[in-house]
């Protein structure tokens, strides 16, 4: 199994082999999220949907903060340590990140548990959200340990393992959601419990895989008290802190604006709109997630022509895909929403038609940001992310008071365009992108 980790392969062979497994598991996993969304949307009110997904959004924002961004630093440094055969550094980084995650996770979960009533009443404007927040404290702890294993598998391009544990989590949640649905007990509390059961079972399987595939080498190496090593990881993590996780944060900031200013029902419409507009990422996210460690490996091996070739390939095919999906959403947005979530969510489909034309910017700036992360340019990436995020927040404050949810979307679209333009200029300096206009 040792030879499989970061094995030397031609770029095309690596993309085809790992891409096959990425999309094989994606086809198996992708429907679960939408089946779950359909089941819960047809079982509870629009306001309840707003509450549950707004609470989940808050948890995702906090999960981006709780490990002090050491998880992404781990994804960046582990392939380097493996290639350089710095095995003690490899083991030290994993255990250091795990300890920080455990301590900060417990602190944040403790604070959330005791502030649950206040947040439910004054933030979510729904007292019933208090129990959901308390239950999600356990989910919050679990998802961060899940992400730890997930990051290790991503760092070594171990696509089968990280898609496998993702699939285990998704199908477990689906199984318990179906049980509650057929027992006529599917409500927001039981839905939350299904989520927690999914994360617990996936962590158990993640640990088994880790012990079986990675521990036999880890146990041979030593944990070093190397301040330079830890400073290096913290320095990268601090730069990630400055940039945060833009995709997660931008999407969830909008959801939080809607639930706070427009309350639960509008948040429900917005939550299902987000699930629709991002549904195309079922096909793009697997490859883009693999892009970060692959870029890091290519640059560490000084294979700059392959990096340039990879950028051109992604721009060529993902642009066409984004525009094709945009046309489908513009033409059939309300119909898609009604079929999936019922007539009561037709407004979510109307929101979809207004934003679908901007998907190409979303796809391309994600490609750009993945390359910047893999190139180690987190400082430059952080700068453009902050500019876009601050612009988004300012526009949200202005628009939401005047025109409600539809103009929250407008603020996001402007941020997408800004992110694309600024990130494109940066990666173009490191090998000009040759866009195939004839093919387009």
């Amino acid at each position: 199994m040792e030879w499989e980790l970061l094995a030397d392969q031609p770029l095309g062979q690596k993309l085809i082999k790992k891409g096959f497994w990425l999309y094989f598991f994606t086809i198996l996993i992708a429907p679960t999220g939408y089946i779950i969304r359909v089941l819960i949307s047809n079982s509870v009110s629009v306001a309840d949907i707003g509450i549950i997904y707004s609470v989940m959004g808050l948890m995702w924002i906090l999960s981006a903060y709780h490990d002090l961004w050491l998880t992404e630093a781990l994804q960046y440094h582990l392939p380097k340590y493996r290639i350089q055969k710095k095995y003690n550094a490899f083991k030290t980084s994993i255990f250091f990140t795990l300890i920080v995650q455990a301590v900060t996770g417990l602190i944040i979960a403790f604070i959330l548990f005791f502030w649950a009533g206040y947040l439910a009443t004054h933030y979510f404007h729904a007292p019933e959200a208090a129990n959901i927040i308390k239950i999600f404290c356990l989910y919050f702890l679990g998802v961060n340990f899940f992400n730890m294993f997930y990051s290790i598998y991503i760092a070594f391009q171990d696509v089968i393992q990280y898609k496998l544990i993702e699939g285990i989590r998704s199908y477990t949640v689906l199984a318990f959601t179906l049980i509650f649905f057929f027992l006529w007990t599917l409500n927001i509390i039981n839905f939350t419990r299904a989520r927690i059961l999914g994360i617990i079972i996936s962590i158990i399987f993640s640990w088994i895989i880790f012990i079986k595939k990675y521990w036999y080498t880890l146990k041979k190496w030593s944990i070093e008290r190397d301040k330079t090593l830890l400073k290096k990881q913290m320095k990268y993590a601090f730069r990630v802190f400055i940039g945060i996780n833009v995709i997660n944060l931008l999407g969830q900031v909008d959801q939080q604006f809607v639930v706070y200013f427009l309350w639960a029902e509008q948040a429900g419409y917005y939550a299902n709109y987000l699930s629709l507009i991002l549904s195309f990422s079922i096909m793009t996210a697997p490859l883009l997630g693999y892009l970060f460690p692959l870029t890091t490996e290519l640059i560490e091996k000084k294979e700059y022509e392959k990096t340039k070739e990879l950028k051109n390939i992604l721009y060529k095919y993902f642009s066409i895909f984004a525009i094709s999906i945009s046309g489908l959403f513009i033409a059939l947005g309300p119909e898609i929403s009604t079929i999936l979530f019922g007539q009561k969510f037709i407004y979510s489909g109307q929101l979809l038609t207004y934003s679908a034309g901007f998907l190409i910017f979303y796809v391309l700036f994600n490609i750009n940001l993945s390359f910047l992360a893999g190139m180690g340019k987190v400082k430059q990436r952080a700068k453009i992310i902050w500019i876009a995020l601050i612009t988004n927040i300012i526009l949200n404050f202005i628009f939401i008071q005047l025109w409600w949810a539809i103009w929250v979307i407008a603020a996001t679209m402007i941020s997408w365009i800004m992110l694309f333009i600024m990130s494109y200029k940066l990666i173009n300096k490191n090998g000009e992108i040759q866009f195939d206009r004839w093919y387009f």
Side-chain angles (χ1 to χ4, degrees):
M1 289 182 286
E2 180 87 11
W3 64 273
E4 292 179 347
L5 299 177
L6 298 178
D8 289 313
Q9 293 174 293
L11 178 60
Q13 182 182 340
K14 181 168 285 193
L15 284 175
I16 292 171
K17 182 179 178 180
K18 295 187 182 290
F20 167 79
W21 287 113
L22 280 170
Y23 285 101
F24 173 77
F25 280 107
T26 296
I27 291 168
L28 293 178
I29 298 168
T32 62
Y34 284 89
I35 295 171
I36 292 167
R37 179 84 67 152
V38 168
L39 292 171
I40 190 67
S41 294
N42 285 278
S43 300
V44 302
S45 68
V46 175
D48 282 345
I49 291 292
I51 292 169
I52 188 69
Y53 282 102
S54 296
V55 172
M56 287 175 62
L58 178 62
M59 294 299 167
W60 277 111
I61 289 175
L62 292 174
S63 70
Y65 285 83
H66 95 287
D67 69 343
L68 307 181
W69 294 272
L70 288 169
T71 301
E72 185 169 339
L74 196 70
Q75 292 180 24
Y76 178 73
H77 285 112
L78 286 188
K80 291 177 173 286
Y81 295 148
R82 192 75 185 211
I83 291 169
Q84 296 166 3
K85 301 188 183 305
K86 295 181 179 179
Y87 300 126
N88 290 341
F90 174 90
K91 184 173 183 176
T92 303
S93 297
I94 291 176
F95 278 88
F96 175 61
T97 304
L98 187 61
I99 292 168
V100 171
Q101 277 191 333
V103 173
T104 57
L106 284 169
I107 291 171
I108 294 173
F110 181 81
I111 293 171
L112 278 173
F113 186 85
F114 284 97
W115 279 12
Y118 179 85
L119 288 171
T121 303
H122 299 283
Y123 184 79
F124 295 106
H125 310 294
E128 62 270 28
N131 287 333
I132 298 172
I133 295 170
K134 289 179 179 179
I135 296 171
F136 259 117
C137 289
L138 182 58
Y139 177 86
F140 174 77
L141 288 173
V143 78
N144 292 305
F145 283 104
F146 174 87
N147 287 339
M148 173 72 181
F149 291 114
Y150 196 78
S151 295
I152 293 171
Y153 303 148
I154 286 178
F156 291 106
Q157 303 166 34
D158 197 347
V159 296
I160 294 178
Q161 306 306 332
Y162 75 73
K163 295 304 286 186
L164 180 61
I165 63 171
E166 184 182 328
I168 290 169
R169 180 173 69 160
S170 297
Y171 274 97
T172 302
V173 175
L174 175 59
F176 283 103
T177 303
L178 282 168
I179 290 170
F180 291 132
F181 180 79
F182 286 117
L183 292 176
W184 298 92
T185 57
L186 183 57
N187 52 39
I188 55 178
I189 296 295
N190 283 338
F191 181 67
T192 307
R193 289 169 177 158
R195 290 271 173 184
I196 292 174
L197 289 167
I199 205 72
I200 291 172
I201 291 173
S202 63
I203 289 173
I204 293 170
F205 277 93
S206 299
W207 177 249
I208 292 170
I209 293 169
F210 180 80
I211 292 294
K212 183 178 179 181
K213 189 164 185 180
Y214 293 87
W215 188 249
Y216 79 100
T217 50
L218 277 178
K219 67 182 180 182
K220 297 177 182 177
W221 309 331
S222 302
I223 296 177
E224 298 178 333
R225 293 185 178 181
D226 187 343
K227 292 182 179 179
T228 304
L229 172 69
L230 299 182
K231 282 181 181 179
K232 184 190 297 185
Q233 193 169 352
M234 289 295 293
K235 184 178 180 181
Y236 185 94
F238 178 73
R239 290 176 179 174
V240 176
F241 154 74
I242 297 173
I244 315 177
N245 184 335
V246 66
I247 310 305
N248 180 29
L249 195 61
L250 277 178
Q252 293 305 328
V253 159
D254 291 340
Q255 180 73 48
Q256 302 308 311
F257 264 93
V258 174
V259 75
Y260 184 77
F261 286 104
L262 305 181
W263 292 38
E265 185 170 347
Q266 285 291 313
Y269 292 127
Y270 194 83
N272 275 2
Y273 149 74
L274 274 182
S275 74
L276 293 172
I277 190 67
L278 298 179
S279 61
F280 82 101
S281 63
I282 289 170
M283 298 305 297
T284 60
L287 195 55
L288 292 181
Y290 172 53
L291 192 57
F292 177 20
L294 177 59
T295 305
T296 301
E297 179 194 349
L298 291 174
I299 291 172
E300 183 67 21
K301 293 178 177 177
K302 301 185 179 348
E303 295 177 345
Y304 302 118
E305 280 303 312
K306 287 185 179 180
T307 307
K308 182 178 177 181
E309 178 187 351
L310 182 59
K311 283 190 286 189
N312 292 337
I313 290 171
L314 292 174
Y315 259 69
K316 179 177 180 179
Y317 294 107
F318 276 41
S319 297
I320 293 294
F321 179 69
I323 287 188
S324 302
I325 297 299
S326 295
L328 180 67
F329 285 167
I330 291 170
L332 299 172
E335 288 80 3
I336 294 171
S337 181
T338 302
I339 290 169
L340 288 176
F341 308 129
Q343 185 68 28
K344 62 185 177 184
F345 283 101
I346 192 171
Y347 184 54
S348 299
Q350 292 170 355
L351 295 176
L352 178 65
T353 61
Y354 298 131
S355 57
F358 297 89
L359 278 178
I360 187 169
F361 298 107
Y362 179 86
V363 173
L364 296 183
F365 88 67
N366 270 284
I367 293 172
N368 297 345
L369 293 180
S370 293
F371 273 104
L372 289 174
M375 293 158 64
K377 295 186 177 295
V378 289
K379 187 175 182 180
Q380 296 92 322
R381 187 182 69 158
K383 180 180 178 181
I384 65 175
I385 288 172
W386 268 107
I387 292 171
L389 180 61
I390 291 170
T391 302
N392 178 266
I393 291 172
I394 292 171
L395 291 177
N396 268 322
F397 270 115
I398 297 170
F399 290 166
I400 202 168
Q401 302 286 355
L402 299 176
W403 298 292
W404 284 42
I406 190 169
W407 282 93
V408 174
I409 293 171
T412 303
M413 299 307 105
I414 292 169
S415 301
W416 286 3
I417 295 170
M418 291 178 63
L419 279 167
F420 166 69
I421 293 172
M422 292 186 291
S423 60
Y424 178 82
K425 288 180 179 178
L426 280 176
I427 67 165
N428 221 30
K429 291 178 181 178
N430 293 272
E432 186 176 356
I433 296 171
Q434 297 172 340
F435 192 75
D436 192 339
R437 291 181 177 82
W438 250 135
Y439 181 83
F440 188 74

